[in-house]
Amino acid sequence: MKRILIYIFSLVVGLSTFWSCDFETDIYTAIDMDNAFGSAQDIENALNGAYRNVGSYYYRGNRVIAIGDMASDVAEADASTGHFVAINMWTFTDTSGELLDAWTYAYKVIDQSTRGINGSLELLNGGNLPEGDDARLESALSQFYALRALAHFDLVNLFGLPYKAGGNNSQLGIVIVDQEPIEDFQQVSRSTVEETYAHVLKDINSAKQYVTGGINQYYFNEAAIYALEARVNLYMHRYEAAITAANKAIELRNSNGVDNATYLSMWRSTAISGEDIFTLVKSNDDNLSANALNTLYGSYGGQVSQFTKEKFAANDIRGGLISATNHPGKYDGIPSAAAVSNVPVFRLSEMYLIVAESQAQLNNISAAQTALLYTAKRNTDITTVADLPATQAGLLEFIADERIREFFTEGHRFYDLRRTGAVATIAGDDQFVAANFVYPIPSEEINAGFGVIQNEGWSDNLPNR
């Protein structure tokens, strides 16, 4: 009888013990395919397993986020500790552990989500479910599709060249997983970037089809699905679609945001704030400890760059999150546990900035200013749209800087540089264009010999020192 390997967790859908740095990824149980998912509870346990891997330090608990900052101009690693120095100094190779971690764990999430989707559909199609289980299964289906879309999107933005507006996007993307999971020893091939993005959007639409209410910002809720759609469309330069999705996410989140005092304090709490659309939650008993972003920017000596610090005006309250020694205060933990910090996936601020940038790209100056004011007024010298740039070029430049001010250490900058084609000073190269660069596929994957081919010439586009 055909058998599959799935992760077994004792967790149910409460996320107070969502994931742990002590999780041993080799602990699994072989279960007969026919009995893998026999109930809605089995599906929800598997869903928790997928979330656990999303929040592990190998994926969005650290690696994908830290790469987004440490590979850019907004953060600096401490050479004396060695943590993320190779990424920060651009001396990594195709054997670098951070890249292998991101590749492996994003695909774990994709695999778990695909198996969960298939199991959920089988149960729903089989009928004769206990009362209420159909809604539970549909909710899980929506989240599985959304998580799978997010993982494909993260992977293609690390290991594929950026999506080109109105151009040929036949550049190599990643290995797409759709209806069936990839089994051991199966031969595979990489899709194109165009095909990868199409698959991401297809999964987002499937997530919308099955979405149900009643889940909060610790889960991939309906607003978060639209937030992902907005981000994806922004990266595709589909500005009208990005505006529509971002506005829908804002509408569904139904929050007025936070005032300045709350903005500064929300980073020291694991409670949901008016800013959160989807956040990875932590608890006192369940944190990433030495592998937390807190530790990277704490005892491991990571800092924001002077370049970042100089982006803040004197009366920008966000500058208060950066110490005199350039220590960022977004992951300083809660009073009782320094390593316990939520890790935002989507915030309300991102949606307003997506609207602002997209409207500016479409040369809708007034609409861009209106959306931009949501974050810009965190500089208390800015009180009305009259205080904002009034030209397309001025707005786009301001928005690029505003994304630095708003999202430092949240993992956006490297990916922003790639999607916009902007020139930046990276690893001593003051004319570096990240859009020309793509990370190498981990050598462990290439050497396995199952069809994944390397990004040829990836090292030709490293910074010129």
Side-chain angles (χ1 to χ4, degrees):
M1 181 178 294
K2 185 177 181 182
R3 302 170 71 85
I4 61 171
L5 298 180
I6 66 171
Y7 295 100
I8 302 301
F9 301 95
S10 59
L11 301 175
V12 293
V13 174
L15 299 186
S16 61
T17 55
F18 200 24
W19 49 70
S20 168
C21 62
D22 298 325
F23 173 59
E24 174 52 62
T25 60
D26 293 331
I27 296 176
Y28 54 79
T29 302
I31 293 184
D32 292 337
M33 176 74 81
D34 293 340
N35 299 318
F37 298 112
S39 68
Q41 187 63 64
D42 292 338
I43 294 293
E44 289 173 343
N45 289 343
L47 179 61
N48 277 323
Y51 274 119
R52 186 177 184 126
N53 279 333
V54 172
S56 72
Y57 73 88
Y58 299 108
Y59 183 19
R60 279 194 153 266
N62 180 304
R63 297 299 191 246
V64 169
I65 307 304
I67 289 171
D69 289 296
M70 285 293 175
S72 77
D73 49 4
V74 302
E76 297 173 350
D78 183 353
S80 67
T81 69
H83 288 271
F84 269 89
V85 171
I87 295 292
N88 188 235
M89 297 303 298
W90 288 69
T91 58
F92 52 81
T93 69
D94 58 359
T95 64
S96 292
E98 296 91 347
L99 300 177
L100 178 60
D101 290 344
W103 174 274
T104 301
Y105 271 75
Y107 270 115
K108 283 182 182 290
V109 171
I110 288 170
D111 179 77
Q112 289 171 304
S113 297
T114 303
R115 296 184 191 277
I117 288 166
N118 291 345
S120 300
L121 289 172
E122 184 175 350
L123 287 171
L124 283 168
N125 292 335
N128 299 316
L129 292 168
E131 184 178 355
D133 274 14
D134 53 347
R136 294 169 67 187
L137 290 168
E138 288 177 354
S139 176
L141 260 175
S142 178
Q143 293 172 75
F144 277 131
Y145 276 120
L147 289 172
R148 192 170 74 171
L150 177 65
H152 278 100
F153 178 70
D154 286 336
L155 283 168
V156 78
N157 278 286
L158 284 170
F159 301 106
L161 286 166
Y163 193 98
K164 294 179 288 188
N168 180 357
N169 284 289
S170 61
Q171 62 270 36
L172 284 176
I174 59 170
V175 178
I176 289 174
V177 182
D178 191 4
Q179 295 182 349
E180 295 296 333
I182 298 171
E183 301 293 354
D184 290 343
F185 313 116
Q186 179 180 334
Q187 287 291 316
V188 297
S189 61
R190 293 174 66 182
S191 66
T192 66
V193 165
E194 184 73 54
E195 291 165 339
T196 306
Y197 270 83
H199 182 66
V200 169
L201 290 174
K202 186 180 80 167
D203 272 355
I204 289 171
N205 285 331
S206 295
K208 291 180 189 177
Q209 177 185 345
Y210 289 102
V211 72
T212 59
I215 59 174
N216 61 32
Q217 289 73 39
Y218 295 133
Y219 301 82
F220 224 126
N221 55 78
E222 187 175 12
I225 295 168
Y226 281 95
L228 174 58
E229 183 178 35
R231 186 185 292 179
V232 171
N233 278 298
L234 180 71
Y235 278 52
M236 296 176 75
H237 313 282
R238 294 173 39 167
Y239 299 118
E240 293 282 7
I243 292 166
T244 299
N247 280 331
K248 185 65 175 179
I250 293 168
E251 174 191 336
L252 288 167
R253 181 59 185 88
N254 192 26
S255 166
N256 292 323
V258 295
D259 59 26
N260 287 346
T262 304
Y263 185 91
L264 292 174
S265 66
M266 71 184 189
W267 304 101
R268 300 300 306 273
S269 171
T270 56
I272 291 297
S273 77
E275 261 290 299
D276 292 306
I277 294 177
F278 173 33
T279 192
L280 304 177
V281 66
K282 293 297 176 184
S283 72
N284 281 341
D285 297 326
D286 179 22
N287 64 76
L288 296 176
S289 188
N291 299 302
L293 288 166
N294 163 276
T295 310
L296 175 63
Y297 289 107
S299 58
Y300 292 158
Q303 299 177 334
V304 297
S305 64
Q306 189 63 27
F307 164 81
T308 301
K309 197 168 184 178
E310 290 172 356
K311 293 294 180 183
F312 294 93
N315 291 323
D316 193 317
I317 62 104
R318 294 166 297 191
L321 291 170
I322 302 175
S323 74
T325 57
N326 291 1
H327 168 75
K330 286 186 175 179
Y331 301 107
D332 281 354
I334 59 178
S336 60
V340 175
S341 297
N342 289 353
V343 181
V345 181
F346 301 110
R347 292 202 284 116
L348 203 56
S349 290
E350 182 185 358
M351 297 302 102
Y352 280 102
L353 285 172
I354 286 175
V355 173
E357 182 175 343
S358 298
Q359 294 285 16
Q361 289 286 359
L362 297 171
N363 206 25
N364 297 327
I365 303 303
S366 178
Q369 290 174 318
T370 299
L372 178 57
L373 188 62
Y374 177 84
T375 62
K377 65 186 180 183
R378 291 184 179 128
N379 173 0
T380 56
D381 291 332
I382 295 176
T383 58
T384 72
V385 294
D387 298 320
L388 298 171
T391 66
Q392 182 184 43
L395 276 169
L396 289 172
E397 181 180 0
F398 187 98
I399 291 165
D401 286 345
E402 185 68 1
R403 288 182 67 90
I404 296 172
R405 289 186 284 265
E406 187 60 39
F407 299 130
F408 66 90
T409 70
E410 293 181 60
H412 289 265
R413 176 62 172 171
F414 172 71
Y415 309 107
D416 282 348
L417 289 171
R418 275 169 47 90
R419 69 177 177 82
T420 63
V423 174
T425 300
I426 304 290
D429 183 350
D430 63 3
Q431 294 297 312
F432 183 65
V433 181
N436 296 333
F437 174 79
V438 59
Y439 280 110
I441 304 293
S443 60
E444 185 172 308
E445 181 65 53
I446 301 297
N447 295 338
F450 295 111
V452 179
I453 61 175
Q454 187 55 275
N455 288 315
E456 291 186 17
W458 68 267
S459 60
D460 295 340
N461 292 304
L462 291 169
N464 295 315
R465 295 175 177 83

